[in-house]
Amino acid sequence: ADEHVTVIAGVFHMGMGEHFYPGQMRALEAGSFAVMPREHRHFAMASAETIIQVHAVGPWAIHYVNPADDPRNPS
């Protein structure tokens, strides 16, 4: 499913692609909204306290490009 992201408070930074490149991120301020198409690779971060809402219509899951980055995997 497409991923819908709404920034409730703070600033959320998002970029496109398989690799984390902070210089290519776009800052989304409170009130911003973004849609990431299904299977579109992207990366994100917040540098301070930030509240986001993520939702989708239908089945949705997070798939890490690098499985080592997945916090669900034991170290």
Side-chain angles (χ1 to χ4, degrees), residues 2-68:
D2 294 344
E3 176 181 327
H4 303 249
V5 179
T6 304
V7 182
I8 307 296
V11 179
F12 193 59
H13 303 270
M14 295 184 72
M16 306 298 166
E18 293 192 4
H19 302 285
F20 184 81
Y21 294 116
Q24 294 181 359
M25 298 176 106
R26 180 176 175 194
L28 303 174
E29 297 181 356
S32 297
F33 176 81
V35 176
M36 308 308 296
R38 179 179 174 204
E39 298 183 17
H40 188 86
R41 304 206 191 268
H42 58 282
F43 49 91
M45 67 173 260
S47 55
E49 184 172 318
T50 300
I51 300 170
I52 63 168
Q53 173 182 296
V54 179
H55 71 278
V57 177
W60 180 82
I62 295 174
H63 299 281
Y64 287 81
V65 172
N66 180 356

